[in-house]
Amino acid sequence: ALLRHCPLLLPQNRQGTAYEGFLTAQGRDFHLRILLPEDFQMKNARVECSWSLKKILHGYRHILKQRLHSCPDLVTFMVELKTVLEIALKNKQDLHIPRPPEYYSCLVGDLETLGWNKVAYVDTGLATVKLKAEDSRGRQHLITLKLNAKYPTEPPDCLVDFPIRFAVSWMPQNSLTDVYNQFLAALESLKEFWDTLDEIDGQTWVLEPEHPTRSATARRIAIGNNVSVTVEVDPRHPNALPECYFLGADHVVTPLRTKLNNNMHLWDPEISLLQNLKDLLEIDFPSRAVLEKSDFAKDCGICYAYRLDGSAPDQVCDDPRCGQPFHQACLYEWLQGLPTSRQSFNVIFGECPYCNKVRKSKEQD
């Protein structure tokens, strides 16, 4: 699938965690390199690109960051990246195309019909418009419209903070009101998804992401001291059983995995995802009303910080008497520096810096 969408982007190692090559858009090739973590989670991927590509995508960095956090795999992200690049190139070209008087009269007329109270921003060239809307739960949302010189013959490019692709149905006789109505319909279709995540954000301690966007589909939820679970919620089926990844010492997370596997048949799509997790795992998540984040979010035992490049500690010593947390990158670097450590491919084995129990850590690309 990746070869079909990006034939010039080639793997650089056997693990499939490093890719380098070119992304083609509008007949031009742009050099880039993509590094994936060992678990292939796109939210932790790193994208390195040429100076020219970085300059073109400068105004779209926040959009790409959102897509990295919400795309399930590399192929999906590359399709999104190519789409954003096409939009950026087209908008760059449009800046040099004089817009006829009809463009301005049509756009202003559309905005007046829609209502200026729904407009959050208009740039000085009347080429970018941001519209605001409130869903039925009172959440605020924005849609950014990039209009080209042929509007309304051609539709505007729409950028939204959604976990799924937002495609506008457009005909030459359509207006911004039609786009806005489709935007409202999309908001309503995602209502249950955002309800689910709002309940998690409001009732539990979410360790990551620290400031989730509306497009973010994953939450790492604290369970106890140095123990957490990352849930990946399906935007189209938010009450279905999510993908769950437990983080913590083996003697703590193994019983939790066992409970989840044994109780899967009890999952009830008629009740909330959070309540289902509590019932299946037979636990209560730490409450924001009772506990402080510092009660269970401990600093890394090596760098003595909680955040490292935006990530919280995700490795824990398995010895029940120790249980010290570490960032994966810190632990790998520490073990690499020990003369007694041994390495097999990208996995290194060595002693915990606190209790001398043998630890293993994978290299982060």
Side-chain angles (χ1 to χ4, degrees), residues 133-135 162 164 166 177-191 194:
E134 188 177 281
D135 63 25
F162 282 3
I164 59 175
F166 177 65
T177 300
D178 298 296
V179 175
Y180 191 77
N181 289 335
Q182 292 177 53
F183 179 54
L184 292 178
L187 292 180
E188 199 61 22
S189 71
L190 290 166
K191 178 178 65 176
W194 286 320

Side-chain angles (χ1 to χ4, degrees), residues 13-252:
N13 59 12
R14 290 184 177 181
Q15 294 82 12
T17 57
Y19 291 82
E20 188 167 4
F22 297 88
L23 180 63
T24 303
Q26 296 193 9
R28 296 171 60 185
D29 293 333
F30 298 92
H31 181 259
L32 78 162
R33 187 167 182 248
I34 297 179
L35 302 175
L36 304 175
E38 288 298 323
D39 58 5
F40 297 99
Q41 293 289 308
M42 290 305 299
K43 65 180 181 179
N44 296 322
R46 191 164 79 244
V47 180
E48 300 173 353
C49 53
S50 63
W51 178 85
S52 59
L53 180 57
K54 189 179 293 186
K55 185 177 180 181
I56 292 170
L57 294 175
H58 178 72
Y60 300 84
R61 288 174 63 184
H62 66 293
I63 298 293
L64 293 175
K65 194 171 183 180
Q66 290 171 4
R67 303 325 297 166
L68 264 180
H69 276 74
S70 59
C71 285
D73 52 50
L74 179 60
V75 176
T76 306
F77 174 70
M78 291 308 299
V79 172
E80 296 275 3
L81 175 58
K82 193 170 183 178
T83 301
V84 173
L85 180 56
E86 294 277 1
I87 292 172
L89 287 170
K90 189 166 69 172
N91 287 333
K92 190 175 181 182
Q93 293 168 359
D94 285 344
L95 290 176
H96 307 290
I97 300 175
R99 298 170 189 250
E102 295 81 12
Y103 167 88
Y104 298 103
S105 60
C106 179
L107 177 58
V108 171
D110 281 357
L111 291 173
E112 288 179 345
T113 302
L114 178 64
W116 289 100
N117 61 317
K118 297 180 177 67
V119 178
Y121 168 83
V122 180
D123 72 341
T124 53
L126 295 184
T128 301
V129 178
K130 292 184 180 182
L131 304 177
K132 56 186 177 181
E134 188 177 281
D135 63 25
S136 57
R137 293 287 195 268
R139 291 177 286 248
Q140 301 294 320
H141 303 270
L142 285 176
I143 178 171
T144 301
L145 309 177
K146 302 279 187 177
L147 300 105
N148 61 50
K150 295 182 179 179
Y151 176 85
T153 305
E154 294 184 2
D157 293 315
C158 303
L159 302 173
V160 292
D161 189 8
F162 282 3
I164 59 175
R165 190 176 181 82
F166 177 65
V168 172
S169 176
W170 183 268
M171 298 186 71
Q173 63 267 28
N174 287 146
S175 67
L176 294 187
T177 300
D178 298 296
V179 175
Y180 191 77
N181 289 335
Q182 292 177 53
F183 179 54
L184 292 178
L187 292 180
E188 199 61 22
S189 71
L190 290 166
K191 178 178 65 176
E192 289 187 1
F193 167 74
W194 286 320
D195 285 348
T196 298
L197 292 180
D198 282 353
E199 182 184 19
I200 293 174
D201 293 339
Q203 296 189 20
T204 70
W205 277 109
V206 173
L207 303 180
E208 294 178 296
E210 193 172 12
H211 303 291
T213 62
R214 287 296 177 191
S215 61
T217 57
R219 295 292 190 274
R220 181 180 167 194
I221 310 170
I223 295 177
N225 195 14
N226 301 324
V227 185
S228 59
V229 59
T230 297
V231 295
E232 186 74 38
V233 183
D234 185 344
R236 299 191 183 278
H237 306 284
N239 287 330
L241 177 64
E243 293 284 342
C244 296
Y245 308 94
F246 292 95
L247 294 168
D250 288 344
H251 71 279
V252 179

